[in-house]
Each structure stands twice: as structure tokens, then as C-alpha cells.
Amino acid sequence: MDRIRIRGGNPLLGTISIGGAKNAALPLMAASLLTSQKLTLSNLPHLVDITTMVHLLAELGVAISMDGNVSNGGNFGRALTLVASEPVQKIAPYDLVRRMRASVLVLGPLLARWGQATVSLPGGCAIGTRPVDIHLGAFKALGAEIELKEGYIKAHAKKGLKGANILFPSVSVGATENVMMAATLAEGETQISNAAREPEVGDLANCLVAMGANIEGIGTDTLKVTGVSELKGANHEVIPDRIETGTYAVAAAMTGGDIIMKGTRLELLNALADVLAKAGVEIAGDGTTVRVRRVNSSLKGTDLMTEPYPGFPTDMQAQVMALLAVADGVSMITETIFENRFMHVPELCRMGADINVHGSSAIVRGVPTLSGAQLMATDLRASVSLVLAGLAANGETFVNRVYHLDRGYERVEEKLSACGAEIERISDG
Ligand code: UD1
């Protein structure tokens, strides 16, 4: 199993290219199931999760070809064309779905276009129970019959889906995407209230509109989808990855560095930029680049709470906790999205951080420095928070089980070492 070795202490200086958003790319790829015509997606990142979605769609009979550099350990990259003629089967098997929770996003498109779908109950990061009840409740409201049997979701809509008014009990990114996709081919109008407003949901909606869907309220918490009889092909460029952008922003801030990130947009960062500014980090940019540097010699503690967009993203919580661990003063971090998302805390404490968890809040008492240690990655964002801590720590850090990192960060060691970090991947065969 690969490990990452880091010798901390170097400030990050230079330029980093930001890839397309994984969390936008995955639902966009699933949207190819909605049409028999060609969907071309560009600016896709090279990531294990993208490869998993390629395998899942291929299993469902989608013909996929790629255009771009595929030399990155077999991961599929850059531009993909997807053509979903007649699917060979409508079953998403356990072996693929268990690797990635986003696999459940094929359920809505399959059900809408073919009237049936069988999808394994999902796995993914171990950051909470992460049920799919909100997805299933909405499909039932659209007229589907749902059965849970032998670890599988079996859904049928023999007479097709019918538009309905759906009020989500709580905000779910995946459920909003799944139900919005299904509603594009349902008969009549569907209103989704309390919808997620994440930029990745908006990106999917814009692509669906380019495919001929009728969607109003994009970017708001109320989406109105008027069903059409069929969708057509489209070309769509995936939006930049705001979490990758934010992660490198934190890396620059923690190491006292100064970096420019290309291919990304400041407007995607809003709540994170506010928190970084309060911590004493200068973050500026425009529609194509973001520059981050630390203004003062030390960072300042600040409080934050994760919330659905436009609030502070849960996917940045672990990274910002690593930063606050070395900031002056006391910070409080409250996690409201996932119930088990503090698994990085014991690992950060092994590096000398002073963090106490009380239920869904963590009190972070800043320490002057962290020290390198042997660490275990537990989930995607926790893994990268340990890499960030290692970059700022004294001495050597080893992050074990880095396969989590490869699900969401493309060439992380390469991008960081190009900016002066001492970091390498050690393959143990
Ligand atoms: C997506 C992102 C993930 C991010 C999360 C929250 C992708 C591929 N993944 O995950 O990186 O951390 O949004 O921003 O885009 N819930 C239910 N029932 C459901 C669905 C969700 O109770 O049917 C709960 C979840 O357990 C969680 C909360 O709702 O506590 C939010 O989950 P959701 O927004 O659905 O996250 P994902 O779409 O899985």
C-alpha cells in the first residue's frame, strides 16, 4: 500500500493548476444515461473515483471514449464522450457501488429513461451512516416503486415517472442531483424545495439545460423541472474543483507561502475565503486565478460551522482544522453535515495538536508547531488534512493508506513538490 513521506517546513511558493471538480464530474457522467446521444465532458480530473464511475457506466452499457492523457496509473482523463444507447443491463453491482457512494446517482437517470433500476446500497467514505432515504422518498413521490432486497435498491416505474412537489426534509447534494436528473424525463412539472445550492448542482443543471431539459431556479433552493420526452447530446466543461482550490490555499497559508492557482475561481470559495481572511490569510483573485499568501507571521484562531452551500463546506473542515491547530488562540469547529467527521483529530493530536471533541464540536487550542509522525489516513479529506499538517510540521511525516487521497486529489505530491514542498510517494509494491 502506498505511503506519502513529507519533510515539513518549506513554504509553498509557485503556481498550481486546479482540475475540474470531482463532485461535479460524477453526476455529469451519470447524466449521460438520460440520452441516446453523445455527451462530451471536458476538464475532467484524473482520479480513481472518475475511473470507478467509468467502470460503472461501462457495466451499464454506456460506450465511453476518452481524449487526453491516460498515463496517470491507468486513470481516465481530461475529456470523455459518453453514449448510452440501449443499456445492456440496468444493475449497478455491489462491487462498484461499495467503492463510491456517488454511484447511487445512476438510479435517477436509469429509472427515468428505462423505468427500472437496481442499484446496490452505497459505501464510500466512513464519515457517517449516510443513508439514501431522501433519494428514495423523492423517487416514490415521482411514482416509483422501491424495494430494498439483499443489499440492493430495486426501483420500478412501469408507467414512467410523474412530476410531483418534493420537499426535502434536509439538504442533500446527491438527492437534489439524482431527483433533478430523473425529473427531466418525468411527465409534467416537478418542484424540488429545500434543494442543495452547491455550485456542482448548478453545473449539472446547466449541462441538463444544454441537453434540452427545462429547469428553472438554478442556483436557488427551489428547482422547477418540466419534463420533456427526450434529451439530446451536449458538450460541457466541468467547473473547477473548489475543494482542491481550498486545500492548496490552506497549504500555502499553513506554510507561510504564496501561491497562484490557475484554472479556478474565487467566487466558488466565498465562505472559506471569509474564514481564511479572519485567520490572517490574504486571498484574492478573479475569474481564472486565485492567489493566496499569509499576511502576518502567525495565523489567528477563528470559529466556523459547516453548513450546506453557501455556508462553510464540510469537505474543507479537516484541512482548516489542521490550519487552526497552529493558529494563535482558541477556535471552535462545529460539524453539522456528517456525524462522524472528526477522524483526523486523533492523528493531528499525535502530531502535537491540542484538540478536544465535544459531540459535533471541536475545540482547537493553537500550538506553536506540530511535529512529524506516522499517521493513518481514514477518509478523503482527513487524509489531505494530514498531508497539510505534515507540510507545516517539524521533521518527517508518513501518511499511510493514501488510497483515500487518490480518490479526490490528482498528482498531489507532484503539484506540491513543484512549489517547493519535500514530499514523495513510497510504493510498497
Ligand atoms: C456530497 C459530496 C460530498 C460532500 C457532501 C456534503 C459528491 C460526490 N459528494 O455527498 O463530498 O461532503 O455532498 O456537501 O458530490 N443524508 C440523508 N439521507 C439521504 C441523503 C443524505 O440522511 O438520503 C444525509 C447524509 O448522511 C449527510 C447529509 O444528509 O449527513 C448530507 O449528505 P449529502 O448532501 O447527500 O452528501 P452526498 O451527496 O453524499
Side-chain angles (χ1 to χ4, degrees):
M1 234 178 261
D2 288 2
R3 295 183 295 161
I4 299 250
R5 176 186 158 277
I6 303 162
R7 179 165 285 282
N10 296 357
L12 274 197
L13 299 167
T15 303
I16 294 180
S17 292
I18 299 299
K22 167 181 87 76
N23 287 353
L26 295 171
L28 285 164
M29 291 169 73
S32 67
L33 289 165
L34 290 165
T35 175
S36 60
Q37 294 184 19
K38 185 162 79 180
L39 178 65
T40 303
L41 299 173
S42 57
N43 197 32
L44 284 163
H46 289 265
L47 295 169
V48 171
D49 273 9
I50 301 293
T51 310
T52 304
M53 187 57 100
V54 165
H55 288 150
L56 174 56
L57 292 174
E59 185 99 355
L60 297 172
V62 181
I64 302 174
S65 60
M66 63 203 135
D67 169 17
N69 167 14
V70 286
S71 62
N72 183 27
N75 289 342
F76 294 83
R78 294 304 165 221
L80 284 182
T81 57
L82 305 105
V83 183
S85 314
E86 182 71 31
V88 286
Q89 61 165 346
K90 291 124 195 154
I91 302 173
Y94 171 72
D95 187 45
L96 287 168
V97 179
R98 77 182 165 83
R99 291 190 220 161
M100 186 180 67
R101 179 181 160 82
S103 309
V104 78
L105 293 169
V106 301
L107 182 58
L110 284 177
L111 192 55
R113 183 146 164 239
W114 305 104
Q116 57 164 300
T118 301
V119 175
S120 172
L121 282 160
C125 281
I127 55 175
T129 51
R130 303 184 88 176
V132 286
D133 55 317
I134 302 176
H135 301 238
L136 301 187
F139 291 133
K140 281 186 196 157
L142 293 174
E145 282 168 40
I146 310 269
E147 207 188 351
L148 296 183
K149 219 171 154 191
E150 292 148 1
Y152 278 81
I153 306 162
K154 298 191 176 192
H156 287 272
K158 289 197 183 80
K159 294 183 199 143
L161 296 174
K162 299 224 165 20
N165 281 339
I166 294 163
L167 169 63
F168 284 144
S170 60
V171 180
S172 162
V173 174
T176 304
E177 293 166 342
N178 223 347
V179 175
M180 178 169 65
M181 287 191 280
T184 60
L185 292 180
E187 191 188 315
E189 193 178 285
T190 299
Q191 178 162 315
I192 307 173
S193 306
N194 202 21
R197 287 178 280 166
E198 268 66 4
E200 294 76 19
V201 176
D203 199 34
L204 173 65
N206 288 330
C207 178
L208 293 170
V209 168
M211 292 166 74
N214 188 338
I215 305 174
E216 287 169 51
I218 297 173
T220 75
D221 65 358
T222 308
L223 295 167
K224 262 199 201 126
V225 186
T226 308
V228 294
S229 56
E230 56 178 30
L231 294 179
K232 56 185 189 329
N235 290 320
H236 183 83
E237 184 180 324
V238 179
I239 56 166
D241 196 318
R242 64 195 166 99
I243 307 301
E244 188 190 23
T245 309
T247 301
Y248 289 120
V250 171
M254 283 183 77
T255 59
D258 183 350
I259 60 165
I260 291 178
M261 290 175 279
K262 290 193 309 192
T264 188
R265 304 201 292 262
L266 186 60
E267 61 172 34
L268 295 170
L269 302 182
N270 51 40
L272 171 67
D274 289 349
V275 166
L276 290 179
K278 282 188 197 143
V281 181
E282 191 178 281
I283 178 156
D286 52 29
T288 54
T289 57
V290 173
R291 180 178 180 183
V292 181
R293 61 192 178 125
R294 196 196 296 169
V295 193
N296 306 312
S297 56
S298 62
L299 295 160
K300 275 203 304 276
T302 180
D303 296 347
L304 68 92
M305 180 160 87
T306 64
E307 285 172 308
Y309 192 87
F312 186 93
T314 175
D315 286 351
M316 281 303 304
Q317 181 257 106
Q319 300 89 315
V320 172
M321 186 183 288
L323 176 130
L324 295 174
V326 290
D328 289 344
V330 181
S331 308
M332 183 161 90
I333 297 183
T334 305
E335 171 60 59
T336 73
I337 309 289
F338 293 109
E339 74 271 25
N340 190 19
R341 210 169 197 184
F342 285 138
M343 284 178 298
H344 41 287
V345 170
E347 300 301 288
L348 290 172
C349 290
R350 294 180 59 245
M351 302 178 80
D354 182 353
I355 306 171
N356 281 298
V357 174
H358 301 273
S360 60
S361 292
I363 308 290
V364 185
R365 294 185 173 83
V367 295
T369 48
L370 298 174
S371 48
Q374 288 276 353
L375 305 171
M376 193 64 81
T378 48
D379 67 70
L380 171 53
R381 308 301 169 185
S383 317
V384 86
S385 78
L386 303 180
V387 171
L388 301 183
L391 292 174
N394 287 327
E396 211 168 49
T397 294
F398 287 91
V399 182
N400 296 290
R401 289 209 190 144
V402 294
Y403 56 85
H404 290 289
L405 204 59
D406 296 331
R407 291 187 46 209
Y409 290 91
E410 179 179 342
R411 297 182 290 109
V412 65
E413 323 85 91
E414 215 179 288
K415 290 187 184 187
L416 288 168
S417 31
C419 290
E422 215 179 300
I423 176 168
E424 63 173 343
R425 180 178 292 249
I426 303 170
S427 293
D428 291 341

